[in-house]
């Protein structure tokens, strides 16, 4: 028997008004002196330093495997066009593959040569699986962006200004003023927040004042917003259930996804609902959790009646806090549970703009929880199960091959469709409801049981027997 699937609606806090304001302010952290200078002067890096980087990478690769750089050169066109991973690049182990990646990146990548001549990053990712060649071998001395004294730069990849948010990075350390900065794949790695130089301290203080109002609004509203998401999810499920009843009354044809789902359920080829959903939408395989496409597919199947859904929502007095905790701290590991709870408390308390330490702690906690970028699961436990009877009927209509329902299949109660009435329990309306359900294949009632309940004429009037 296919087991149930526990899946709650994914959502993001970005819809909460203060979040967008905070995200814009955090994005401004990327406007660092070093970061801005790197984007501005990448052409200088290409002209002056890249030739040395190519030679350093080639020598490192040749040291590991003599002649390997020539082999990599011979594969350049294949790497550009092949959809497969070339085994020749992996046969000597990860250390050699990393060195080959470094050489290939500086010698052939579109980041270095430009889009017209270079090989796209997607081709490199397919072969090497990393965003940039972060081997730490390429270092230069360049002016510090804060004090103009010589600083040590480690170059791990160009930012490629046409798509800076997705590309490589650099790190710098200045022994004169103490400025430290690290940017990888377009994202700041707390470099500015951890730096203790005068320029960064001043910048962080200004940013804290700019963000203070939005941060207070977030701390005040985030619990309530999480609860609203949970309540709206519950209402959405109930609406789809009601809509499925209307579809049954109209005897509407099932959707393509509903038909495919029913066939897979009755075939017994899959052990779980997750496997069936992945077969309907290959993009869900391995990433069903927090995937809006998975939620949309399940809701469609619920609306078509081929799955049932049960919801559990929390009604405690402090339900807003409960909803928030369940959304953010879903299945925490024992090692991180206490830390995540501490981060959550830090976010809800807000911060004092005048205190740099308070602001840094709040911002780090927000980013660890993923408030500005991550998706969370709504704090409603939704259990999804196949509706076996409906699946049997839909599958039979799909391929024309009748299938016998399992003996332990539980029939749906006829009173679900019966109009409210004070007449005898076996009134004509109830008989019509049972007749409709039986004709649609939703209930299986033995003749002896029908007669025992007073439905002696049911078999005569059933459309299937006409």
């Amino acid at each position: 028997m296919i087991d149930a699937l526990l899946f709650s609606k994914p959502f993001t806090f970005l819809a909460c008004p203060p979040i967008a304001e905070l995200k814009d302010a955090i994005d401004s952290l990327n406007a660092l002196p070093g970061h801005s200078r790197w984007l501005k002067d990448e052409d200088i890096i290409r002209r002056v330093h890249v030739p040395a980087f190519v030679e350093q990478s080639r020598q490192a690769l040749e040291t590991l495997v003599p002649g390997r750089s020539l082999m990599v050169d011979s594969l350049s066109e294949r790497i550009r066009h092949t959809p497969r991973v070339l085994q020749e690049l992996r046969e000597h182990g990860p250390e050699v593959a990393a060195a080959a990646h470094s050489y290939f990146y500086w010698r052939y990548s579109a980041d270095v040569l430009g889009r017209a001549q270079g090989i796209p990053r997607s081709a490199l990712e397919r072969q090497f699986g990393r965003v940039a060649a972060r081997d730490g071998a390429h270092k230069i001395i360049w002016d510090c962006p804060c004090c103009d004294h010589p600083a040590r730069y480690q170059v791990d990849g160009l930012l490629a200004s046409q798509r800076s948010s997705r590309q490589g990075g650099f790190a710098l350390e200045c022994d004169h003023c103490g400025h430290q900065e690290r940017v990888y794949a377009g994202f700041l790695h707390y470099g500015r927040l951890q730096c203790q130089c005068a320029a960064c301290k001043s910048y962080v203080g200004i940013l804290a004042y700019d963000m203070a109002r939005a941060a207070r609004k977030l701390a005040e509203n985030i619990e309530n917003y999480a609860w609203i998401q949970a309540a709206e999810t519950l209402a959405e499920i109930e609406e789809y259930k009601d809509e499925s009843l209307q579809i049954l009354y109209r005897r509407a044809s099932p959707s393509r996804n509903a038909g495919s789902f029913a066939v897979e359920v009755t075939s017994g080829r899959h052990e779980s609902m997750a496997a069936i959903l992945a077969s309907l939408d290959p993009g869900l395989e391995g990433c069903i959790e927090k995937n809006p496409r998975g939620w949309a597919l399940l809701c469609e199947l619920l609306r078509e009646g081929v799955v049932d859904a049960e919801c559990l929502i929390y009604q405690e007095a402090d339900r807003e806090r409960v909803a928030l905790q369940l959304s953010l701290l879903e299945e925490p590991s024992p090692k991180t549970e206490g830390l995540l709870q501490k981060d959550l408390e830090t976010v809800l308390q807000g911060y004092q703009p005048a205190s740099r330490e308070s602001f840094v702690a709040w911002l780090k906690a927000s980013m660890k929880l993923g408030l500005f970028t991550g998706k969370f699961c709504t704090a409603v436990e939704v259990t999804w199960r196949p509706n076996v009877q409906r699946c049997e009927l839909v599958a039979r209509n799909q391929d024309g091959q009748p299938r016998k329902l399992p003996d332990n299949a539980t029939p749906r109660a006829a009173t679900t469709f019966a109009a409210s009435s004070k007449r005898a329990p076996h009134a004509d309306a109830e008989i019509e409801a049972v007749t409709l359900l039986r004709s649609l294949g939703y209930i299986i009632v033995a003749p002896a049981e029908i007669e025992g309940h007073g439905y002696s004429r049911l078999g005569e009037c059933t459309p299937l027997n006409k």
Side-chain angles (χ1 to χ4, degrees):
M1 182 63 183
I2 297 175
D3 58 4
L5 174 68
L6 185 64
F7 186 91
S8 294
K9 181 180 181 180
F11 76 100
T12 172
F13 282 108
L14 287 178
C16 191
I19 288 284
E21 201 171 341
L22 289 168
K23 189 175 184 299
D24 291 341
I26 291 175
D27 288 342
S28 67
L29 282 170
N30 281 334
L32 300 170
H35 188 189
S36 301
R37 181 172 187 171
W38 200 255
L39 289 174
K40 179 181 178 181
D41 294 337
E42 274 197 342
D43 287 339
I44 298 177
I45 298 295
R46 289 186 177 92
R47 291 196 310 268
V48 177
H49 298 288
V50 164
F53 294 166
V54 173
E55 181 60 23
Q56 291 172 13
S57 298
R58 188 191 68 79
Q59 292 179 4
L61 181 58
E62 288 293 315
T63 300
L64 292 173
V65 181
R68 193 68 174 173
S69 62
L70 296 177
M71 186 273 289
V72 172
D73 291 333
S74 67
L75 295 176
S76 59
E77 288 303 313
R78 291 179 61 190
I79 290 176
R80 180 191 297 270
H81 299 294
T82 182
R84 299 179 295 104
V85 175
L86 300 178
Q87 187 60 34
E88 297 96 316
L89 298 174
R90 302 293 182 92
E91 59 184 7
H92 288 287
E95 184 179 4
V96 176
H101 180 201
S102 177
Y103 172 69
F104 197 91
Y105 177 85
W106 293 111
R107 177 70 177 82
Y108 295 105
S109 75
D111 289 1
V112 177
L113 302 180
R115 289 180 176 177
Q117 302 179 37
I119 294 179
R121 178 172 293 272
S122 58
L124 272 68
E125 291 177 350
R126 181 166 59 247
Q127 298 298 332
F128 300 103
R130 295 194 300 172
V131 176
R134 301 176 186 173
D135 54 14
H138 310 299
K139 295 179 173 63
I140 61 176
I141 301 297
W142 209 10
D143 292 344
C144 174
C146 292
C147 69
D148 291 330
H149 283 74
R152 291 174 284 115
Y153 283 75
Q154 175 179 306
V155 184
D156 295 320
L158 297 178
L159 294 176
S161 57
Q162 69 270 19
R163 291 189 303 168
S164 58
S165 63
R166 296 181 55 190
Q167 308 308 311
F170 70 95
L172 75 90
E173 294 182 6
C174 178
D175 296 330
H176 182 265
C177 71
H179 179 64
Q180 298 180 6
E181 191 174 326
R182 294 185 299 133
V183 176
Y184 288 114
F187 295 99
L188 173 71
H189 282 206
Y190 301 133
R192 184 136 219 168
L193 299 179
Q194 294 174 350
C195 182
Q196 298 296 316
C197 76
C200 287
K201 285 185 176 181
S202 174
Y203 183 87
V204 169
I206 294 173
L207 183 64
Y209 277 106
D210 291 342
M211 294 175 62
R213 185 183 62 85
R216 285 195 297 269
K217 289 174 60 180
L218 172 64
E220 294 170 358
N221 298 320
I222 193 169
E223 291 180 344
N224 185 61
Y225 183 78
W227 171 252
I228 292 175
Q229 287 288 325
E232 289 181 351
T233 299
L234 183 62
E236 183 179 358
I237 289 290
E238 295 302 322
E239 289 177 3
Y240 288 137
K241 286 184 177 181
D242 293 340
E243 189 174 345
S244 69
L245 300 183
Q246 299 300 322
I247 290 177
L248 295 183
Y249 274 125
R250 296 194 305 268
R251 302 187 184 185
S253 300
S255 67
R256 180 177 178 180
N257 282 332
S260 299
F261 179 83
V263 170
E264 295 297 333
V265 168
T266 55
S267 69
R269 290 192 295 263
H270 298 283
E271 297 181 355
S272 66
M273 279 194 64
I276 296 178
L277 296 178
S279 69
L280 299 182
D281 184 351
L284 297 177
E285 186 174 1
C287 60
I288 290 183
E289 293 79 7
K290 302 185 180 180
N291 192 324
R293 286 164 54 184
W295 176 263
L297 178 57
L298 285 167
C299 288
E300 177 188 345
L301 300 177
L302 176 62
R303 189 169 55 246
E304 295 290 333
V306 292
V307 300
D308 291 324
E310 297 178 2
C311 300
L312 175 63
I313 194 166
Y314 293 82
Q315 301 285 352
E316 285 84 349
D318 55 345
R319 57 189 184 182
E320 289 84 0
R321 172 61 66 91
V322 173
L324 178 60
Q325 290 176 333
L326 291 172
S327 298
L328 296 181
L329 310 179
E330 185 183 20
E331 298 181 359
S333 65
K335 295 182 179 180
T336 61
E337 184 173 4
L339 297 177
L340 291 176
Q341 183 65 36
K342 183 178 180 180
D343 291 334
L344 180 58
E345 294 296 334
T346 300
V347 170
L348 294 180
Q349 289 172 3
Y351 63 88
Q352 297 295 327
S355 170
R356 179 182 184 278
E357 291 72 18
S358 173
F359 168 69
V360 170
W362 182 88
L363 185 58
K364 286 186 176 181
S366 302
M367 299 179 77
K368 287 179 182 178
L369 293 173
L371 287 177
F372 309 109
T373 57
K375 287 186 174 69
F376 308 96
C377 288
T378 309
V380 179
E381 293 185 354
V382 185
T383 303
W384 307 80
R385 294 185 179 87
N387 185 322
V388 179
Q389 290 86 350
R390 174 64 172 168
C391 287
E392 288 286 347
L393 176 66
V394 171
R396 182 177 59 192
N397 292 338
Q398 289 288 314
D399 55 18
Q401 298 296 326
R403 293 180 173 85
K404 183 180 178 181
L405 285 175
D407 295 334
N408 61 350
T410 304
R412 281 201 172 194
T415 53
T416 302
F417 289 86
S420 58
S421 173
K422 296 182 179 180
R423 293 182 294 174
H426 307 314
D428 292 340
E430 189 172 3
I431 294 178
E432 291 177 5
V434 176
T435 303
L436 172 62
L437 290 174
R438 186 168 182 268
S439 67
L440 292 176
Y442 277 80
I443 60 174
I444 304 298
V445 185
E449 185 177 350
I450 294 174
E451 293 178 0
H453 286 81
Y455 301 106
S456 58
R457 298 182 55 193
L458 182 60
E460 301 176 3
C461 63
T462 299
L464 294 178
N465 294 333
K466 289 185 178 180

